């Protein structure tokens, strides 16, 4: 998957501290329900839910579902792919390994399957490093708008894989920094029903013209970088800032900056409100908001 997942976000940091404080099993923080919604100023939005459950003292499984909605600026169509995911992992005292498979579908318009695996290691207290591997098979259908002619059906396919690194360091008892980088190699092909060439592709979700911070997991990136920091205010509140930059496979880039807070609301709940701004391949800027909620029991 393209979305780089930081080793320590504000909410994850609070959960990790709580699990370590009680001398719990390595998978104690995996009994959780996570909900998240996002929306930007252009009315693109997404919603997702994930449930994870521990298995024994070291393993866990998780399932997730979600849907995003975004408007294609060329065709004016609104894409609404749904997503299902399943995964799991195993954890030791100072390491953990995980794997996830996810699929996005939007009728016949989009079919995207991603496989992701990660290995994390904590060589000492306050330091975590890890490696990531991803693989993608995707197919999308749209139209080719030719000058003076009727739109022609077109199909685009993307296949590829990527590897990456991530790390997090607790600089002080209250402050942590983290970073991640991913490099992908994709092969793309575009086929017209008539076998011709030329014209303007419209309604093809994998193209970069409509990529935003809301639907970035649907886009093909050649590389991605992320840098973030977390500051804890006591044991109940943490503030997290992130910078992200993605290089699109077909040219251009997506840049995003966001700020979010994690608030321990009691009874096992943590709320994560946030705001951000992204700048797309065409140079346009868009503000967005996000709200997450997690429940651990």
């Amino acid at each position: 998957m393209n979305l780089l997942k930081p080793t320590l976000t504000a909410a994850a940091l609070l959960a990790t501290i709580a699990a370590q404080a009680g001398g719990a099993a390595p998978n104690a923080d995996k009994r959780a329900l996570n909900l998240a919604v996002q929306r930007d100023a252009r009315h693109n939005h997404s919603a997702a839910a994930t449930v994870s459950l521990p298995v024994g003292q070291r393993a866990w499984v998780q399932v997730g579902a979600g849907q995003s909605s975004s408007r294609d600026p060329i065709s004016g169509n609104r894409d609404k792919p749904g997503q299902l995911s399943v995964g799991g992992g195993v954890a030791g005292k100072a390491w953990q390994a995980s794997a996830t498979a996810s699929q996005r579908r939007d009728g016949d318009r989009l079919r995207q399957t991603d496989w992701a695996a990660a290995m994390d290691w904590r060589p000492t207290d306050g330091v975590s490093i890890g490696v990531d591997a991803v693989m993608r098979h995707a197919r999308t259908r749209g139209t080719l708008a030719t000058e003076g002619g009727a739109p022609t059906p077109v199909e685009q396919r993307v296949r590829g894989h990527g590897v990456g690194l991530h790390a997090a360091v607790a600089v002080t008892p209250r402050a942590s920094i983290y970073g991640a980088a991913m490099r992908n190699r994709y092969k793309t092909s575009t086929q017209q029903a008539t076998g011709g060439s030329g014209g303007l592709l419209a309604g093809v979700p994998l193209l970069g013209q409509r990529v935003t911070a809301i639907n970035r997991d649907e886009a093909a990136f050649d590389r991605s970088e992320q840098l973030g920091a977390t500051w804890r205010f006591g044991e109940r509140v943490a503030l997290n800032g992130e910078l992200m930059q993605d290089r699109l496979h077909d040219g251009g880039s997506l840049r995003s900056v966001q700020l979010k807070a994690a608030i321990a609301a009691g009874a096992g709940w943590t709320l994560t409100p946030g705001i951000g701004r992204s700048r797309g391949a065409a140079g346009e800027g868009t503000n967005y908001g996000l709200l997450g909620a997690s429940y651990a029991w």
Side-chain angles (χ1 to χ4, degrees), residues 164-178:
L165 298 171
H166 59 264
V169 178
V171 181
T172 72
R174 293 186 179 274
S176 298
I177 58 173
Y178 59 85

Side-chain angles (χ1 to χ4, degrees), residues 42 73-74 207-212 246-248 250-255 278-286:
R42 299 186 177 184
I74 298 177
L207 295 181
Q209 288 90 342
R210 52 156 286 244
V211 179
T212 72
D246 307 299
R247 181 68 179 180
L248 294 160
D250 58 342
S253 61
L254 173 68
R255 298 181 178 90
S278 64
R279 184 171 296 276
E284 74 285 359
T286 306

Side-chain angles (χ1 to χ4, degrees), residues 77-93:
N77 296 331
R78 184 160 286 277
D79 304 310
K80 297 182 178 180
Q83 179 189 3
L84 293 174
S85 65
V86 60
V90 61
K93 184 177 180 180

Side-chain angles (χ1 to χ4, degrees), residues 1-2 114 134-137 158-162 184-188 219-222 249:
M1 288 178 284
N2 291 312
D114 291 311
V134 297
M135 183 177 296
R136 167 171 294 180
H137 290 173
V158 174
R159 299 169 69 96
H161 61 275
N184 301 308
R185 292 183 178 273
Y186 288 115
K187 293 182 179 180
T188 63
F221 299 129
D222 283 341
H249 181 68

Side-chain angles (χ1 to χ4, degrees), residues 51-70:
V51 177
S52 61
L53 295 171
V55 178
Q57 295 294 308
R58 296 183 178 275
W60 74 90
V61 295
Q62 71 177 43
V63 295
Q67 185 175 48
S68 64
S69 176
S70 57

Side-chain angles (χ1 to χ4, degrees), residues 27 43 53 62 67 71 73 107 121 125 137 164 229 240 266:
N27 61 356
H43 307 294
L53 295 171
Q62 71 177 43
Q67 185 175 48
R71 181 181 177 275
W121 178 48
D125 289 344
H137 290 173
N240 176 246

Side-chain angles (χ1 to χ4, degrees), residues 6 35 67 87 103 108 199 213 219:
L35 308 171
Q67 185 175 48
Q103 186 172 73
D108 245 1

Side-chain angles (χ1 to χ4, degrees), residues 19-268:
Q20 292 176 344
N27 61 356
D29 63 330
K30 305 303 181 183
R31 191 186 304 273
L33 167 67
N34 298 289
L35 308 171
V37 294
Q38 297 184 89
R39 186 180 180 89
D40 66 20
R42 299 186 177 184
H43 307 294
N44 302 314
H45 55 85
S46 66
T50 304
V51 177
S52 61
L53 295 171
V55 178
Q57 295 294 308
R58 296 183 178 275
W60 74 90
V61 295
Q62 71 177 43
V63 295
Q67 185 175 48
S68 64
S69 176
S70 57
R71 181 181 177 275
D72 189 320
I74 298 177
S75 67
N77 296 331
R78 184 160 286 277
D79 304 310
K80 297 182 178 180
Q83 179 189 3
L84 293 174
S85 65
V86 60
V90 61
K93 184 177 180 180
W95 61 272
Q96 72 174 30
S98 61
T100 305
S102 65
Q103 186 172 73
R104 284 179 173 80
R105 279 197 172 191
D106 187 6
D108 245 1
R109 292 172 54 81
L110 172 67
R111 293 189 179 184
Q112 175 181 316
T113 303
D114 291 311
W115 295 269
M119 181 72 187
D120 295 270
W121 178 48
R122 192 173 67 250
T124 185
D125 289 344
V127 177
S128 176
I129 58 177
V131 295
D132 303 280
V134 297
M135 183 177 296
R136 167 171 294 180
H137 290 173
R139 187 210 70 194
T140 185
R141 290 174 177 171
T143 58
L144 184 72
T146 57
E147 186 174 352
T152 300
V154 64
E155 180 177 281
Q156 185 181 64
R157 292 181 180 268
V158 174
R159 299 169 69 96
H161 61 275
V163 295
L165 298 171
H166 59 264
V169 178
V171 181
T172 72
R174 293 186 179 274
S176 298
I177 58 173
Y178 59 85
M182 177 73 72
R183 295 292 184 270
N184 301 308
R185 292 183 178 273
Y186 288 115
K187 293 182 179 180
T188 63
S189 62
T190 303
Q191 182 178 358
Q192 300 178 38
T194 59
S197 60
L200 182 64
L201 286 167
V204 182
L206 298 182
L207 295 181
Q209 288 90 342
R210 52 156 286 244
V211 179
T212 72
I214 305 299
N215 60 14
R216 65 191 294 271
D217 266 3
E218 301 163 27
F221 299 129
D222 283 341
R223 64 178 187 267
S224 296
E225 293 90 23
Q226 180 185 60
L227 181 64
T230 299
W231 179 269
R232 290 190 297 113
F233 299 88
E235 299 299 322
R236 300 182 64 86
V237 179
L239 188 64
N240 176 246
E242 290 180 357
L243 296 172
M244 295 171 283
Q245 178 167 296
D246 307 299
R247 181 68 179 180
L248 294 160
H249 181 68
D250 58 342
S253 61
L254 173 68
R255 298 181 178 90
S256 302
V257 56
Q258 68 180 28
L259 185 67
K260 57 187 177 182
I263 305 167

